Amino acid sequence: MSKPWDASYDVVVVGSGAGGLAAALTARLKGMSALVIEKTALFGGSSSLSGGAIWVPTNHYLMEAGLQDTWEQAQAYLNATVGDRVPKARREAYVKRGAEMVRYLHDNTEHVRFKYIPGYSDYYPEAPGGFPQGRSVEPLIFDLKKLGEERKKMRRANLPTYGIVMNAFEFHKVNMITRTWIGKKTSLKLGMRLIRSVVTGAKLSSLGEALIGRLRKSLMDVQGEVWVKTAFHDYVMDEGRVVGLIAERDGKLIRIEAKKGVILASGGFSHNQSMREQYLPHPTSERWTSASEGQTGDIIGASLKIGATLDLMDRVWGAPSAVPPGQLPYFLVAERALPNMMIVNSVGERYLNEAVPYHQFVDQMYKNDKPEARTTPSWIIIDRTTKSRYIFLGLFPGQPFPKKWFDNGFIKLGNTPAELAQAMGVPVEKLTATFERFNRDARQGKDTAFHRGDSAYDRYYGDPTYPNPNMAPLENGPFYAVQIYPGDIGTKGGIVTDEYARALDVKGEPIPGLFATGNCSAAVMGETYPGPGATLGPAMTFGYVAASFMAK
C-alpha cells in the first residue's frame, strides 16, 4: 500500500510569480482545485519586482487602441528574432494562445486588467513584423488594500520613488520632468495621485506589484490557495507519471497529490552560484542579479532524475546593472539612452551602441570581453548636465549622490576627462580621445561609430528636445563614472516543453503529469528578447495553456 497523501488537489503549481498564479487561476476558473506552493515567505517572485508589462501580440487591448497587429506580422517578427532556435509549433502557439489567455482572464475575472503602452517600441522594431509603436500592455494601477491580510505576504519591489506610484508609461514622461511640458504635467498628476491615496488610505501599486496583486486577488475570488514557506522537495511518481510532489512545510516533509498534474513555475537559478559557474558565461555572480532570492534552480536536479531534458542553460535575461556595495543592483534601462552619457571598457574606449535592448547589451558585454580590454565590468560615464536633468540610479534630477558612494569608491569623480581617467584607472590618452570623438559626433547628432539613436527603440528613453534624442556632448564637469556588470533579471534555461507546456524527456516525449512555464523552462523566446514583457507574457500564457490542457 502506498503512503497516504497529506493534501490532494487536481493541480499543484510550484512558484507564485505571474506564470504560477495565472496557471492556478485558470485551473480554478475551469473547475479544478488548485494549490500554489511558494518556497519563500512572500508570494510574487521576480514578477513582483518587474515592470509588470506583458508582450503578447494581437491581444484585444492592442486592437482596442487601434493597433493593426496581425498573426502574420507577429509570426514574421518571431521568425526574424527568435528564428529556428525554438520549434515553430511553440512560436505559433505563443501568438495564438497568448492573445487567448489575455482575453480569457479579462472576460472571467474582475481584476486582471491591462492597458496599452503607446510608443514603447518592440526591441527590434526595424525587423520584419516589428512595431516601432510597440505591442506591450501593462497592468492598471491596483489598490493592494483589496488583498486584505494577504497583502502582508506579497513580495514588494520597494522602488525608491518616495511614495509616488507610477506606471511604465508615466515613468517615461517623468524622466523628462526638467525637459518637457508633458514631463512636468505628468509629475503634477502623480503628485495629485499621492495626495489622494494619502487622504483615502489607498495602498496603490503599479508595475509588477500591480500585476501580482491583480492575479492574487482574482485567485482569492475563486478560492485558489497559496501556501508560502512551502518548498518543492521531489516528485511522487507512479508508473512513469508525476502524480504529486513532496514538499517541505513547517520543517517536515509532506506529500501533496496532483490528480491532473504538476505545473512548474518556479523561476530560474540566478541565486545559485554553483549552477551559474556550471552553466553561464564567465565571469558570473549572483551579486549581479535582480531576480528574487528564491531562484536557486531547485527543480532542475529532480527533473533530470525523472528524464527531463534541458536547453538554453547558458542564457540569461540580461540586465546591465550597477552594484553599490551592500545594496541591491540597479538595473540600467533608461540610463543607457540618455544623451550626455557613454559607456566604455577598461581601457576607456566605447565598444557598442549603449542604448541597445538590455538583453543584447549583456550579450555584447561578453562578446567584447578581452583580457587586454575588459567589458565585464564596463564603465558608464555621465556629466553634471546629465545629473541635473534626468533620473539616474534611482535618484531624481539634481538629487545628490549619497556620500557613501564616493567614500566606498562606487562612484569615481573627475573635473576633467583626464582626472576622471586617473580615478577610474584607465589610460588617460584613450579616454580623452573617446570623449573627443563622442562629443564631435554628438554635436552633429550622428553616432558614426555605433549608430546610437538610429533605432526607434533607442529613441524611446532619449531626450526628445534633441535632434538625436540619444546624443549630446559630454562636456560639463564634474564627470562621474560607475562600473556596470552583466547582470540579469533571471536565467532563461530549463526544462524543454512543447506547445502544450508539457515537459519533454530526452526522446522528445511528454513526461505524463508534468508541465512547466516561466524561467524554470527553456524560453520560447530562445536566445533573444523581442519586446518589453517577453518574459511575463510567455510565463502567463503557458501557465494558462498547461491548466487548459489539464481541464480537457
Side-chain angles (χ1 to χ4, degrees):
M1 180 180 160
S2 61
K3 290 182 191 170
W5 298 105
D6 296 291
S8 178
Y9 295 83
D10 293 324
V11 179
V12 179
V13 180
V14 181
S16 65
L21 294 179
L25 177 56
T26 304
R28 288 298 297 132
L29 290 169
K30 291 181 181 284
M32 298 180 286
S33 59
L35 169 69
V36 177
I37 65 168
E38 165 58 49
K39 175 173 70 171
T40 70
L42 302 169
F43 68 83
S46 291
S47 303
S48 268
L49 311 178
S50 74
I54 59 171
W55 187 87
V56 179
T58 76
N59 76 70
H60 70 275
Y61 294 104
L62 302 181
M63 303 311 178
E64 287 166 8
L67 206 69
Q68 301 300 311
D69 195 9
T70 66
W71 193 87
E72 290 76 16
Q73 284 172 303
Q75 283 304 325
Y77 185 59
L78 287 180
N79 291 345
T81 52
V82 178
D84 294 333
R85 186 65 181 83
V86 172
K88 185 176 178 215
R90 277 190 78 208
R91 300 198 310 270
E92 291 186 349
Y94 179 58
V95 175
K96 178 171 180 249
R97 305 301 299 277
E100 183 185 307
M101 175 272 296
V102 174
R103 171 55 81 180
Y104 181 81
L105 294 183
H106 179 278
D107 289 349
N108 291 280
T109 71
E110 185 187 334
H111 298 289
V112 182
R113 297 289 182 273
F114 296 90
K115 72 173 183 180
Y116 173 51
I117 314 175
Y120 197 177
S121 168
D122 285 347
Y123 287 166
Y124 300 97
E126 290 78 29
F131 272 39
Q133 65 273 54
R135 286 180 165 101
S136 293
V137 297
E138 65 176 330
L140 300 183
I141 283 171
F142 180 66
D143 185 356
L144 294 175
K145 274 179 78 175
K146 292 178 179 174
L147 295 176
E149 287 298 298
E150 197 69 6
R151 176 164 59 95
K152 295 173 185 170
K153 296 182 196 166
M154 185 178 136
R155 185 174 298 283
R156 303 297 302 278
N158 296 319
L159 294 170
T161 55
Y162 312 99
I164 297 169
V165 173
M166 66 182 106
N167 60 31
F169 179 69
E170 289 164 342
F171 171 82
H172 170 246
K173 303 287 180 271
V174 170
N175 196 28
M176 294 295 138
I177 183 173
T178 69
R179 306 294 289 158
T180 65
W181 279 110
I182 195 162
K184 292 175 175 63
K185 190 173 155 189
T186 305
S187 302
L188 186 62
K189 174 183 155 190
L190 298 184
M192 296 304 292
R193 178 184 294 157
L194 175 60
I195 291 166
R196 275 198 308 275
S197 66
V198 169
V199 170
T200 61
K203 302 290 182 190
L204 300 183
S205 64
S206 61
L207 310 175
E209 291 184 355
L211 177 62
I212 290 299
R214 288 180 171 280
L215 286 167
R216 182 67 188 103
K217 178 64 173 103
S218 300
L219 188 56
M220 288 164 68
D221 290 347
V222 291
Q223 290 78 51
E225 293 180 66
V226 176
W227 292 359
V228 295
K229 299 182 187 173
T230 306
F232 171 88
H233 192 76
D234 206 351
Y235 300 109
V236 179
M237 307 293 293
D238 184 13
E239 297 182 353
R241 181 182 183 85
V242 176
V243 295
L245 52 80
I246 298 168
E248 186 173 330
R249 193 176 197 215
D250 297 328
K252 65 174 193 276
L253 296 179
I254 58 171
R255 290 163 53 85
I256 308 171
E257 183 178 25
K259 285 182 269 194
K260 298 270 191 181
V262 168
I263 302 176
L264 302 171
S266 56
F269 57 90
S270 290
H271 282 282
N272 186 324
Q273 184 62 28
S274 64
M275 285 183 77
R276 293 183 74 103
E277 299 281 352
Q278 179 181 353
Y279 291 112
L280 298 181
H282 288 204
T284 185
S285 172
E286 70 160 307
R287 277 281 297 121
W288 307 340
T289 186
S290 293
S292 62
E293 86 277 4
Q295 304 218 356
T296 51
D298 302 352
I299 56 94
I300 297 293
S303 301
L304 287 172
K305 273 197 304 193
I306 64 167
T309 187
L310 307 177
D311 193 17
L312 294 167
M313 293 295 281
D314 60 337
R315 309 294 295 185
V316 297
W317 300 100
S321 300
V323 189
Q327 291 179 235
L328 294 172
Y330 280 97
F331 171 19
L332 302 169
V333 182
E335 286 93 340
R336 294 178 300 99
L338 298 176
N340 322 71
M341 174 281 314
M342 66 180 180
I343 291 171
V344 300
N345 60 19
S346 65
V347 293
E349 296 173 327
R350 288 180 72 212
Y351 62 93
L352 83 175
N353 166 8
E354 293 87 343
V356 294
Y358 38 89
H359 182 80
Q360 182 182 345
F361 189 101
V362 166
D363 284 349
Q364 291 280 348
M365 289 181 87
Y366 281 116
K367 186 178 173 187
N368 287 280
D369 200 29
K370 300 178 180 69
E372 68 277 12
R374 301 310 303 261
T375 51
T376 61
S378 297
W379 293 94
I380 183 167
I381 297 172
I382 65 169
D383 67 0
R384 186 172 57 184
T385 301
T386 325
K387 185 77 192 79
S388 66
R389 287 181 175 176
Y390 312 108
I391 296 171
F392 187 77
L393 298 182
L395 300 170
F396 284 93
Q399 187 181 355
F401 288 124
K403 180 178 178 294
K404 66 181 177 184
W405 284 2
F406 296 101
D407 294 344
N408 61 27
F410 172 63
I411 292 183
K412 306 297 183 189
L413 176 69
N415 287 311
T416 64
E419 273 186 31
L420 185 68
Q422 288 171 328
M424 293 162 62
V426 306
V428 171
E429 67 284 357
K430 284 198 173 171
L431 186 64
T432 304
T434 301
F435 262 87
E436 287 168 359
R437 175 166 183 182
F438 179 86
N439 288 343
R440 196 163 57 242
D441 279 1
R443 286 184 197 103
Q444 295 174 20
K446 189 73 181 164
D447 181 7
T448 59
F450 301 104
H451 310 290
R452 184 164 118 198
D454 286 6
S455 170
Y457 173 75
D458 296 2
R459 297 191 290 274
Y460 179 72
Y461 281 119
D463 184 334
T465 68
Y466 285 108
N468 180 339
N470 306 107
M471 293 288 284
L474 261 169
E475 55 191 1
N476 188 10
F479 303 97
Y480 307 93
V482 175
Q483 285 192 314
I484 57 174
Y485 295 87
D488 64 84
I489 49 174
T491 51
K492 67 187 314 191
I495 295 167
V496 175
T497 58
D498 67 6
E499 63 270 32
Y500 302 106
R502 298 179 294 185
L504 302 181
D505 65 17
V506 287
K507 295 177 185 167
E509 297 293 324
I511 298 171
L514 188 62
F515 300 76
T517 190
N519 289 352
C520 65
S521 63
V524 70
M525 298 303 168
E527 296 184 355
T528 189
Y529 201 150
T535 51
L536 294 177
M540 290 178 66
T541 297
F542 287 107
Y544 163 82
V545 165
S548 301
F549 186 91
M550 291 172 167
K552 289 179 182 174

